[in-house]
Amino acid sequence: MLVLDRVGKTYPNGVRALDGISLEVGPGEILAIVGGSGCGKSTMLRAISGLDTPSQGVVMLDGMPVLGPHPKIGIIFQEPRLLPWLTVAGNVGFGIDDRPKAEREDRVATALARVGLTDKADVWPRELSGGQAQRVAIARALVPRPEVLLLDEPFSALDAFTRADLQDHLLDLWADSKPTLLLVTHDVEEAIVLADRVMVMRPHPGRVYDEIADDLPRPRDRQSAAFDFVKRRVMAALDRSLDRAVITAEGETKNSAGAALWW
Amino acid sequence: MSFGPMTITAGPTTEPAKVEQTVQKPGLSRFARPALGLILPVGLAVLWELAVRAGLSNGRLVPPPSVIFNTFAELAKTGELQRHAAVTLWRVGAGFGIGVGFGTILGAITGYSGLSHRLIDPTLQALRAIPSIAWVPLFILWLGIFEASKVTLIAVGVFFPVYLGVMGAVTSVDRKIVEVGRVFRLSGPAMIRRILLPAVMPAYVLALRSGLGLGWMFVVAAEFMGASEGLGYLLIDGQQLGKPAQIVAAIVAFAVIGKLTDWMIAAAATPFLRWEDSFARR
Ligand SMILES: Nc1ncnc2c1ncn2[C@@H]1O[C@H](COP(=O)(O)OP(=O)(O)O)[C@@H](O)[C@H]1O
Ligand SMILES: [Mg+2]
């Protein structure tokens, strides 16, 4: 169980990026996080991953506070961030370097097979396409078998077709060990296809605005009326989250940009 | 050119032909291009040789290739060339080692920590602005005219490119890649070994090679200031005794050994840079 208890983050330059985020995510749950640009989504994931420390509150995993990068918490960034001097297999095995060689090779081979890149094991990262590179990044994050996997807009740099493909891959991989997933995305459909719950954030400072349950049967049909219903609810919540933000931000008289431009 | 009509008359067969051509093209130019570069120097050498043989010039100030070759062979046979080359090589080696050592350590420190950058870098940049040869009189006063002052001068020449290269490389290591190391909880030494070292390696090899280049330049300067041994001494000796062939032979020796040592660094670095190199090789 991942618990955030009144987590706040104020950057050294005075920007209040997060304020009073309280959140519980159960084992195996998939939580999607949406919200306007700059509302602290990345800041929140970085606080959970231990890359940054919260200024207030505490992140707890299974009852223990997370004080730095944690062996049971993995993260996937928007860019693959592969190490160019390691082969694909070397990158995938990067996090289990302390294991015996045989076990390492076995787990790397399994992971590569699961993301469909067995034939690329000995290739350098720069020879991969964007989608392949992100699949390697996913494999690298999953090989140490994290309990919690954080994904910060992992597919936003990819074309629509590759993105749909990787969403399927992600669900497949998730089914293997059922880690908790926290997925930040600006693609509402992606959130609804993948998540059990969609959390909407609002900015200045970043707070939880709304949570929408998403218990559609899997695999999910983007064309169905039920899907559309959930999507409308999320879009409406997003819209409102931005309206409020404009009103509460002191001195700001901007008009709401409206649904089409919420990100 | 001949592909035009073929494409029309024999559709299916053009495909392999095209492939063959695109494959051959880089292969041909790989040999053709260096060969083109050889035409001018080899042509001039042959022309000069012929001119001297034909009695158009006595070739005393500009010796023909055959005389240079003979001088070279003779110096090699008496073992003199090897002795002088070994001394020069030793000086470059010692100066290079010292310069690389200091350059690497100081470059890493100033690249890594902003405070030490502000403390140390301005002084070093000011020193860098001084033409290094200007230090020679001081080095001789301090260290005498023998090996110490020579090696020091070479070390100073090697130091700056290595220092700048390492500092730049360390400063520009991608923070995002370092974060990958942090996510996997690498210890300090592991972070250096698995992330920082490989990340700075390409720039470091470049810095070493330009440092070595300067090392060879400075060994000549060092040996001009009163040496009794070394390839630089052969140059001076050839000038004073009016033996241009000996001068050219020493220059050739410099070129060959310089190129060889540079190639050794490149070769030693190859296994660490395959990930980068494989692109250039294709
Ligand atoms: N390292 C940082 N230093 C200062 N301010 C930052 C830093 N990172 C993010 N911010 C600010 O914090 C707010 C939230 O940023 P971020 O978490 O990146 O938002 P999101 O990922 O939702 O787009 C923004 O106003 C941003 O400008
Ligand atoms: Mg972000």
Side-chain angles (χ1 to χ4, degrees), chain B residues 37-56:
Chain B
L38 281 177
I39 291 178
L40 188 63
V42 171
L44 283 178
V46 169
L47 274 183
W48 188 241
E49 182 76 42
L50 292 177
V52 174
R53 297 250 163 130
L56 296 177

Side-chain angles (χ1 to χ4, degrees), chain B:
Chain B
M1 269 305 181
S2 62
F3 286 116
M6 265 177 82
T7 325
I8 300 159
T9 52
T13 55
T14 50
E15 212 45 55
K18 259 183 195 164
V19 169
E20 205 182 327
Q21 202 214 14
T22 45
V23 169
Q24 257 181 9
K25 226 178 180 177
L28 257 181
S29 64
R30 189 179 298 165
F31 297 106
R33 234 179 263 153
L36 280 182
L38 281 177
I39 291 178
L40 188 63
V42 171
L44 283 178
V46 169
L47 274 183
W48 188 241
E49 182 76 42
L50 292 177
V52 174
R53 297 250 163 130
L56 296 177
S57 162
N58 63 13
R60 277 198 46 210
L61 281 180
V62 186
S66 59
V67 175
I68 295 170
F69 183 81
N70 285 340
T71 313
F72 200 91
E74 203 159 303
L75 280 171
K77 209 168 65 191
T78 57
E80 252 195 287
L81 188 67
Q82 289 88 327
R83 183 170 60 89
H84 291 296
V87 170
T88 299
L89 207 55
W90 180 87
R91 287 176 184 142
V92 173
F96 183 71
I98 296 171
V100 166
F102 280 99
T104 305
I105 292 169
L106 283 175
I109 292 175
T110 50
Y112 189 75
S113 128
L115 177 65
S116 44
H117 182 98
R118 281 185 287 278
L119 274 175
I120 301 171
D121 189 60
T123 309
L124 288 178
Q125 296 294 348
L127 290 177
R128 192 170 73 95
I130 302 167
S132 307
I133 309 286
W135 292 109
V136 167
L138 207 54
F139 287 165
I140 291 180
L141 268 187
W142 287 343
L143 303 166
I145 56 159
F146 298 109
E147 295 308 310
S149 59
K150 293 186 174 59
V151 170
T152 307
L153 179 65
I154 296 165
V156 168
V158 172
F159 170 82
F160 283 107
V162 174
Y163 167 75
L164 288 178
V166 171
M167 185 178 68
V170 173
T171 335
S172 59
V173 170
D174 189 355
R175 185 192 54 85
K176 291 179 170 178
I177 294 274
V178 176
E179 254 174 16
V180 172
R182 288 185 55 208
V183 167
F184 290 107
R185 302 179 324 288
L186 296 189
S187 63
M191 184 72 100
I192 290 174
R193 183 173 58 82
R194 298 180 65 192
I195 304 270
L196 296 178
L197 275 186
V200 302
M201 202 44 135
Y204 190 50
V205 172
L206 268 187
L208 288 184
R209 291 174 71 175
S210 50
L212 184 66
L214 278 183
W216 281 106
M217 207 162 106
F218 278 72
V219 80
V220 179
E223 289 180 342
F224 275 1
M225 56 193 210
S228 52
E229 286 175 306
L231 291 175
Y233 162 78
L234 274 189
L235 292 175
I236 294 288
D237 187 59
Q239 177 215 325
Q240 284 170 348
L241 301 184
K243 296 190 283 191
Q246 179 178 319
I247 299 180
V248 182
I251 290 176
V252 170
F254 266 122
V256 170
I257 303 176
K259 187 70 200 163
L260 267 180
T261 49
D262 180 66
W263 175 84
M264 276 163 60
I265 294 188
T270 310
F272 302 103
L273 298 181
R274 253 179 316 155
W275 55 278
E276 231 205 9
D277 257 359
S278 49
F279 186 65
R281 258 190 230 147
R282 291 222 169 143

